[in-house]
């Protein structure tokens, strides 16, 4: 029994239970950010020269987390290439979508392309589609089909521009929109390769300007 007037001793507060340890990738993991980091690495060094350790360090994810999120290295490369295509399309969609004089439209397309090809902290990165065409597309049928699809999409987008220009009287009646589109795409690929090799922007812009003059007559 407890004596009257005597206070009961306070019980010590029990320590809060420790939070359970989390497994797998951290809570801050964001797939799109990680994929962008992987894309940067692949654009810089290509598929073969980019190791899983490189990808793990860049994304902040260990190998099991990388596999769980993106699959193996090839699957990650494919996802990164799709991301590149989507980003490039988003950068140019307004120029292709909204009508304007064909010469002005072509110059704007090449200017945006150069913004993409000359970007990169470690130097110009060129076009990931052209880079992939010369490497992984050679031996991988699936990646080759993706690259050819990318080329075809660009050709079709240019052809639509030239058809409209022809209808508006900016091009002669004898102009072939499909052929002109292929020449316009070839110019894109040329400046992409030269950008990767380190050519200056002024030189690449001049190539594009002269190509527009020839293509448009």
């Amino acid at each position: 029994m407890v004596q009257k007037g005597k206070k009961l001793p306070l019980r010590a507060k029990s320590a809060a239970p420790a939070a359970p340890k989390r497994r797998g990738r951290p809570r801050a993991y964001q797939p799109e950010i990680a994929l962008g980091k992987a894309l940067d690495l692949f654009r810089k060094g290509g598929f073969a020269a980019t190791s899983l350790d490189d990808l793990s360090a860049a994304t902040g994810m260990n190998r099991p987390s990388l596999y769980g999120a993106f699959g193996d290295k090839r699957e990650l490369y494919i996802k990164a290439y799709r991301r590149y295509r989507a980003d490039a399309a988003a950068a140019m969609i307004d120029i292709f979508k909204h009508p304007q004089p064909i010469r002005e439209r072509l110059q704007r397309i090449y200017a945006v392309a150069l913004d993409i090809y000359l970007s990169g902290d470690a130097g110009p990165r060129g076009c990931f589609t052209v880079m992939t065409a010369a490497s992984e597309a050679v031996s991988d049928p699936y990646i080759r089909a993706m690259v050819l699809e990318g080329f075809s999409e660009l050709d079709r987008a240019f052809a639509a521009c030239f058809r409209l220009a022809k209808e508006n009287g900016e091009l002669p009646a004898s102009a072939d929109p499909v052929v002109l589109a292929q020449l316009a795409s070839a110019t894109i690929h040329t400046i992409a390769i030269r950008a990767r090799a380190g050519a200056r922007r002024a030189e690449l812009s001049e190539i594009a300007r002269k190509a527009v003059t020839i293509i448009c007559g």
Side-chain angles (χ1 to χ4, degrees):
M1 290 181 64
V2 179
Q3 293 180 2
K4 265 188 176 181
K6 206 167 186 179
K7 292 183 179 179
L8 289 171
L10 293 174
R11 292 185 182 178
K13 292 183 179 179
S14 59
K21 291 184 179 179
R22 295 181 177 273
R23 295 182 179 181
R25 49 183 175 266
R27 292 178 63 186
Y29 163 76
Q30 294 178 284
E32 286 306 306
I33 293 177
L35 188 58
K37 298 288 186 182
L39 171 58
D40 287 341
L41 277 186
F42 282 132
R43 287 189 69 191
K44 178 183 176 182
F47 179 83
T50 303
S51 69
L52 284 170
D53 287 339
D54 295 332
L55 292 165
S56 180
T59 60
M61 301 169 64
N62 58 31
R63 289 193 183 193
S65 294
L66 278 173
Y67 283 122
F70 302 110
D72 61 18
K73 182 179 165 184
R74 175 180 174 273
E75 289 179 274
L76 178 53
Y77 187 89
I78 289 172
K79 288 180 172 70
Y81 176 59
R82 286 177 179 152
R83 164 72 176 271
Y84 171 82
R85 287 260 302 272
D87 288 349
M92 293 190 179
I93 189 168
D94 285 341
I95 307 174
F96 278 111
K97 187 176 180 181
H98 299 296
Q100 56 191 298
I102 189 62
R103 289 174 183 269
E104 179 183 335
R105 189 192 293 237
L106 291 177
Q107 289 289 10
R108 287 188 62 199
I109 289 170
Y110 292 136
V112 171
L114 286 178
D115 287 342
I116 296 171
Y117 303 156
L118 295 172
S119 65
D121 296 335
R125 295 179 296 183
C127 174
F128 197 32
T129 294
V130 172
M131 180 178 166
T132 300
S135 56
E136 298 314 301
V138 174
S139 58
D140 190 312
Y142 183 82
I143 293 178
R144 180 164 59 249
M146 290 177 65
V147 168
L148 291 174
E149 179 189 20
F151 288 158
S152 295
E153 282 183 359
L154 185 61
D155 286 346
R156 288 195 296 270
F158 272 127
C161 295
F162 288 120
R163 286 192 190 95
L164 181 60
K166 185 175 178 179
E167 291 171 6
N168 292 340
E170 296 180 73
L171 297 172
S174 59
D176 186 335
V178 173
V179 173
L180 294 178
Q182 292 169 343
L183 292 174
S185 292
T187 301
I188 281 270
H189 303 149
T190 294
I191 62 176
I193 293 170
R194 290 171 183 259
R196 177 79 175 184
R200 293 177 297 109
R201 181 171 189 128
E203 176 187 343
L204 300 173
S205 296
E206 184 64 8
I207 291 172
R209 187 189 67 77
K210 290 177 179 177
V212 171
T213 299
I214 293 171
I215 291 170
C216 295

